[in-house]
């Protein structure tokens, strides 16, 4: 039996399964019954977070049949701006009437009066953001929030600069963002922003209490295939999921499932060993900008002084990014940087070339140890 983990969204406290259900590939299921089976396998394993923006409209019907009766026990993420033409194919729109019509259809599909998370869809360019303001979509979203039709307002983006514009409003609770090692190290067409800019965004989300739902954790499947991977090496699904879940701010990861077999394969992550989750191999093929920066991967464990090196680093970075809670979390660690005996084992084990023994002195000084 799979042991699903749950993480709470900072604003509201809803507990989401760390593996949620992405919808981007479900249209590839052989028929509607196969879609229902995929959903049932996920629900039985404790998946409770469901994205509702498929690549075609056809999957909405089986989604409604399975999820509507279980509405009270699941979290839904509905999109303002994903629309479907007469042929049922996905597109996106900044036209307010089209946005309203489709949002209403999705609510009807689930026989519900609310979305747990209502997100403004696919905001990748400044023009998208500006159109959202000018066309009344932002005001519409705020009015839905006021009425309780949207419980939490969010957005989806691949671009850290646009995500920052949303964070600056102070009014969003959730961010759907593409996170994987290829994008984080500027590989692939959606890998927008440099590594530092992206990591700073994740830290800002954690600092501001904005939960991240991760899309494209497998880089659209490219990272799973040595031929297609921009690194020339394949990663496993467990490694990609662990990578995303280690990033600050991340609450859930939403792989795009095609059928029940895909669901089962991703759910194997829940029972995977720490060796199977270990993604430190990316340190051997990530570009130079990965060098010397802790990615909280835990590969340098165990520390003879008992320090959770990755967590100490994460809280340090978050505290410096202005996260008021991070210092408190750091001080609750059983062993802290001040306990470091300088043995250097972590330096030798770190695939990212972090001189962690030096950094431990820096962290201890920062926290006054
Ligand atoms: S020091 Fe290196 S091995 Fe240890 S958590 Fe950080 S990146 Fe991973
Ligand atoms: S140098 Fe410090 S943090 Fe690193 S393994 Fe040794 S005691 Fe642990």
């Amino acid at each position: 039996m799979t042991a699903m983990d749950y993480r709470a969204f900072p604003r509201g406290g809803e507990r989401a399964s760390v593996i949620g259900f992405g919808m981007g590939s479900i249209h590839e299921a052989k028929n509607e019954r196969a879609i229902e089976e995929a959903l049932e396998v996920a629900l039985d394993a404790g998946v409770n977070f469901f994205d509702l923006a498929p690549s075609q409209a056809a999957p909405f019907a089986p989604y409604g049949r399975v999820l509507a009766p279980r509405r009270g026990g699941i979290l839904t993420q509905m999109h303002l701006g994903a629309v479907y033409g007469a042929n049922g194919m996905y597109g996106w729109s900044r036209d307010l009437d089209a946005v309203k019509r489709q949002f209403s259809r999705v609510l009807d599909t689930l026989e519900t009066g609310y979305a747990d998370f209502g997100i403004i869809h696919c905001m990748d360019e400044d023009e998208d953001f500006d159109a959202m303001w000018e066309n009344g979509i932002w005001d519409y979203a705020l009015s839905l929030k006021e009425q309780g039709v949207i419980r939490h307002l969010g957005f989806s983006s691949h671009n850290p600069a646009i995500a920052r514009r949303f964070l600056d409003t102070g009014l969003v609770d959730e961010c759907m963002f593409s996170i994987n090692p290829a994008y984080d190290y500027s590989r692939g067409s959606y890998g927008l922003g440099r590594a530092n800019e992206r990591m700073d965004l994740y830290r800002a989300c954690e600092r501001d209490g904005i939960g991240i739902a991760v899309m494209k954790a497998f880089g659209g499947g490219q990272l799973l295939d040595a031929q297609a991977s921009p690194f020339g090496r394949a990663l496993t699904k467990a490694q990609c999921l662990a990578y995303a879940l280690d990033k600050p701010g991340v609450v859930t990861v939403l792989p795009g499932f095609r059928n029940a077999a895909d669901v089962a394969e991703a759910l194997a992550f829940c029972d995977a060993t720490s060796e199977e989750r270990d993604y430190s191999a990316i340190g051997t093929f990530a570009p130079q900008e990965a060098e010397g920066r802790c990615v909280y991967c835990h590969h340098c464990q165990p520390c003879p002084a008992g320090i959770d090196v990755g967590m100490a680093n994460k809280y340090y970075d978050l505290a410096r990014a202005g996260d008021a809670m991070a210092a408190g979390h750091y001080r609750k660690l059983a062993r802290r940087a001040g306990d470091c005996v300088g043995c250097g084992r972590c330096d030798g084990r770190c695939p990212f070339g972090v001189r962690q023994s030096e950094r431990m002195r820096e962290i201890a000084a920062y926290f006054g140890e």
Side-chain angles (χ1 to χ4, degrees):
M1 184 71 185
T2 297
M4 178 63 71
D5 281 334
Y6 296 84
R7 291 182 181 179
F9 276 91
R11 300 186 189 176
E14 294 89 345
R15 292 178 61 75
S17 50
V18 293
I19 297 179
F21 201 113
M23 226 182 163
S25 307
I26 199 70
H27 62 281
E28 294 179 35
K30 65 180 182 210
N31 53 38
E32 292 197 354
R33 181 63 204 132
I35 295 174
E36 291 171 355
E37 282 170 5
L39 290 165
E40 284 157 4
V41 167
L43 286 160
D44 288 348
V47 172
N48 72 346
F49 191 98
F50 293 85
D51 180 67
L52 288 157
S55 301
Q56 296 177 13
F60 278 122
Y63 257 57
R65 286 195 291 276
V66 175
L67 296 182
R70 306 172 82 153
R71 176 69 187 94
I74 60 169
L75 299 170
T76 56
Q77 177 178 268
M78 302 186 190
H79 295 237
L80 295 165
V83 297
Y84 300 87
N87 59 359
M89 299 303 290
Y90 157 83
W92 70 86
S93 174
R94 308 296 178 219
D95 175 75
L96 181 58
D97 288 335
V99 169
K100 284 181 175 177
R101 270 197 306 277
Q102 181 58 31
F103 186 68
S104 173
R105 271 188 210 129
V106 180
L107 288 174
D108 290 347
T109 297
L110 261 63
E111 300 171 23
T112 184
Y114 69 96
D116 299 279
F117 299 89
I119 65 173
I120 299 175
H121 180 74
C122 202
M123 304 298 290
D124 282 348
E125 310 280 348
D126 284 319
E127 292 74 30
D128 295 323
F129 193 87
D130 296 340
M132 172 193 75
W133 287 99
E134 289 159 12
N135 298 355
I137 295 169
W138 178 250
D139 286 340
Y140 172 58
L142 290 180
S143 73
L144 291 175
K145 175 102 189 285
E146 273 172 27
Q147 296 162 38
V149 177
I150 284 177
R151 300 221 164 142
H152 295 284
L153 183 58
F155 64 94
S156 69
S157 180
H158 302 87
N159 186 338
I162 300 301
R164 287 290 189 161
R165 295 188 72 180
F166 277 98
L167 266 59
D168 288 345
T169 69
L171 294 172
V172 291
D173 298 342
E174 194 224 343
C175 157
M176 187 189 197
F177 200 78
S178 46
I179 299 180
N180 64 56
Y183 295 178
D184 278 353
Y185 297 119
S186 307
R187 306 292 181 93
S189 51
Y190 289 111
L192 303 173
R194 307 299 297 178
N196 268 358
E197 189 184 358
R198 295 174 65 87
M199 188 64 104
D200 284 349
L201 171 68
Y202 312 151
R203 291 184 191 120
C205 285
E206 171 119 5
R207 177 195 68 205
D208 295 348
I210 295 165
I212 302 175
V214 175
M215 58 180 162
K216 305 223 168 57
F218 309 142
Q222 285 190 326
L223 283 167
L224 309 174
D225 177 350
Q227 302 297 323
S229 168
F231 299 121
R233 293 257 305 270
L235 293 173
T236 65
K237 290 185 178 179
Q239 288 172 314
C240 293
L241 291 166
Y243 178 87
L245 285 165
D246 276 345
K247 296 297 153 288
V250 170
V251 174
T252 183
V253 184
L254 311 175
F257 301 125
R258 295 166 301 178
N259 48 45
D262 275 359
V263 177
E265 197 183 340
L267 289 173
F269 169 80
C270 299
D271 300 316
T273 63
S274 52
E275 287 76 22
E276 288 167 333
R277 296 179 184 204
D278 185 344
Y279 54 85
S280 57
I282 66 171
T284 62
F285 51 80
Q288 215 168 4
E289 61 186 308
E291 189 73 12
R293 300 180 196 285
C294 182
V295 298
Y296 326 126
C297 72
H298 309 292
H299 186 72
C300 54
Q301 296 297 119
C303 157
I307 302 167
D308 184 333
V309 174
M311 290 309 286
N313 275 268
K314 188 184 274 191
Y315 292 141
Y316 172 54
D317 289 337
L318 286 168
R320 288 192 305 158
D323 184 335
M325 315 274 279
H329 293 317
Y330 173 82
R331 292 203 170 88
K332 282 190 186 141
L333 292 172
R335 301 278 175 190
R336 298 185 285 278
D339 295 307
C340 172
V341 296
C343 70
R345 286 188 200 176
C346 50
D347 298 341
R349 285 192 200 130
C350 178
F352 298 92
V354 181
R355 295 192 61 79
Q356 194 56 250
S357 50
E358 285 174 17
R359 198 165 149 90
M360 281 292 152
R361 289 199 289 277
E362 181 185 321
I363 296 173
Y366 180 86
F367 287 111
E369 295 174 349

